[in-house]
Amino acid sequence: MKTEHEDVTPGISRRTLLTRAGVAAAALAAGPVLGGTQPAHAASWRVPGEEASHKRTWMAWPSSSTIWGSLLPAIQADIAKLAKEVAKYEPVVMCADGSTAASQATNACGSTVTVIGSVPVSDCWMRDTGPLFRVDGAGGLDAFGLNFNAWGENATSFYGIPASAYDKDRAVAQNLAAYAGVPFAQAAVVGEGGGIEYDGDGTLMATESCWVNGNRNPGKSRSQIEAELLSRFGASKMIWLPGVTGYDVTDGHIDGTARYIGPGVVMVQLAGAVRPDVWTRNAQAIHDVLVNSTDARGRRLEVLTIEGPDTLPRIPAGRQKDFLSSYMNWTVTNQAVITTQFGDTAKDAAAKTAIAAAYGRTVVQLNLDNLYGNGGGGAHCVTMQEPNR
């Protein structure tokens, strides 16, 4: 299946929606069920904020020509580049689909990245397919999965990629948890890790367009979905945000627009000149909700802002509207925040300065144009942190 602006076969862009009859323009969407074995006193378990100390970062090596076609080598190059950078700050374990893919990943990533071939993967989107790890404050660690279903089967309905192409990714969460030796349970909702943000201190934020959606949670109300997510994350308050439907395969994941810096502090990217109006309006709508929100502790949120790039000098004009020009899709490591740069010198520098000031950590900006452009995802989308106990 060809993407909208590239004469390649086949290849999924997670952000580009092929024109289809009947698809509307964007819409701005204005007791928990546990569903698995849980440790005693489950309320004490929580998913720590991403800025907390990590044991390691998990990633996945893309090797499917069914999914990527001729784009595969370029995507692999960006994954290897990112993995080697993360490995400067904390251990990285790369899951590869069998011995051949593992050998390929080892050659590309080098000796600083641990590659394993015993956790089968379909693709590279570990944030969406992998387990979310929880701690209990007493040395315990467990994990849960969000029942990945290829973004509501959008990969198939948008691009014609067979649903079976993602079969291994549907089981990554439990397989990885088993490899790591931690207890695991499936949540009673369907979604992706990139579709929810958590501060580790009781508050979640997510877009309704991802979760209150018949392609993931048919028949479930917002309150039912909220109760399950709060229970799983060990949180007590959800901030629901507007989202965009019908413009990208994720249905508007939050991690490209708004992120927690830490408890009580969020950052929002207000779209730069290259983003289509629908994303500009959505970013502003998310900002406006957050500035009027309080968290689980009753704190008024401190909302920091940055602006997206105004130019994409390396990207052909015909592809720019579908390019994920988000600085927000960073990955946090123990000593650094790794994000991207787009070639807009002034905006790249301003984003780097703002993120560094917010975190008090080194910020590394990489050129990941293939991953952000052809893949439509970024550094956050392809990493999953495992916290220290």
Side-chain angles (χ1 to χ4, degrees), residues 309 311-314 327 340-348 367 369:
T311 63
L312 296 171
R314 299 188 296 258
Y327 298 111
T340 192
Q341 51 90 353
F342 300 112
D344 182 329
T345 304
K347 287 296 186 70
D348 289 350
N367 176 341
D369 284 356

Side-chain angles (χ1 to χ4, degrees), residues 72-311:
L72 183 59
I75 297 299
Q76 290 174 332
D78 274 6
I79 292 293
K81 181 191 296 186
L82 177 62
K84 288 186 284 188
E85 191 64 38
V86 174
K88 294 177 182 178
Y89 305 101
E90 62 188 63
V92 175
V93 181
M94 181 77 71
C95 300
D97 191 28
S99 58
T100 300
S103 177
Q104 185 182 47
T106 298
N107 290 337
C109 296
S111 60
T112 62
V113 175
T114 299
V115 178
I116 61 173
S118 53
V119 176
V121 295
S122 302
D123 206 354
C124 58
W125 309 111
M126 184 60 80
R127 179 65 48 181
D128 293 347
T129 64
L132 286 132
F133 293 94
R134 308 190 307 177
V135 298
D136 68 353
L141 182 74
D142 76 356
F144 65 92
L146 290 171
N147 302 293
F148 177 74
N149 72 342
W151 310 282
E153 308 300 346
N154 281 341
T156 299
S157 60
F158 285 5
Y159 310 106
I161 294 176
S164 59
Y166 293 94
D167 281 352
K168 293 171 183 176
D169 277 356
R170 299 171 200 270
V172 164
Q174 56 263 45
N175 289 339
L176 194 156
Y179 180 90
V182 300
F184 176 83
Q186 291 284 13
V189 291
V190 173
E192 305 87 39
I196 190 163
E197 279 284 307
Y198 39 93
D199 70 350
D201 196 37
T203 311
L204 310 178
M205 62 179 178
T207 57
E208 291 192 44
S209 55
C210 286
W211 294 93
V212 192
N213 191 322
N215 65 11
R216 292 170 174 86
N217 293 296
K220 285 188 169 65
S221 67
R222 193 180 83 167
S223 62
Q224 290 173 319
I225 296 165
E226 176 178 316
E228 173 67 355
L229 290 171
L230 291 175
S231 175
R232 290 292 171 184
F233 279 84
S236 58
K237 181 168 184 176
M238 171 70 84
I239 301 173
W240 287 108
L241 298 168
V244 176
T245 58
Y247 266 69
D248 77 323
V249 77
T250 72
D251 291 309
H253 273 181
I254 187 61
D255 66 351
T257 304
R259 302 287 304 278
Y260 276 111
I261 302 298
V265 183
V266 297
M267 182 175 282
V268 178
Q269 178 175 309
L270 300 176
V274 296
R275 297 298 285 151
D277 287 346
V278 62
W279 296 107
T280 301
R281 291 194 302 270
N282 188 62
Q284 188 64 54
I286 286 174
H287 172 271
D288 292 348
V289 172
L290 290 173
V291 296
N292 291 298
S293 296
T294 56
D295 67 10
R297 306 294 182 184
R299 293 172 292 218
R300 174 76 66 175
L301 291 179
E302 179 184 357
V303 182
L304 310 175
T305 60
I306 59 174
E307 292 186 359
D310 292 326
T311 63

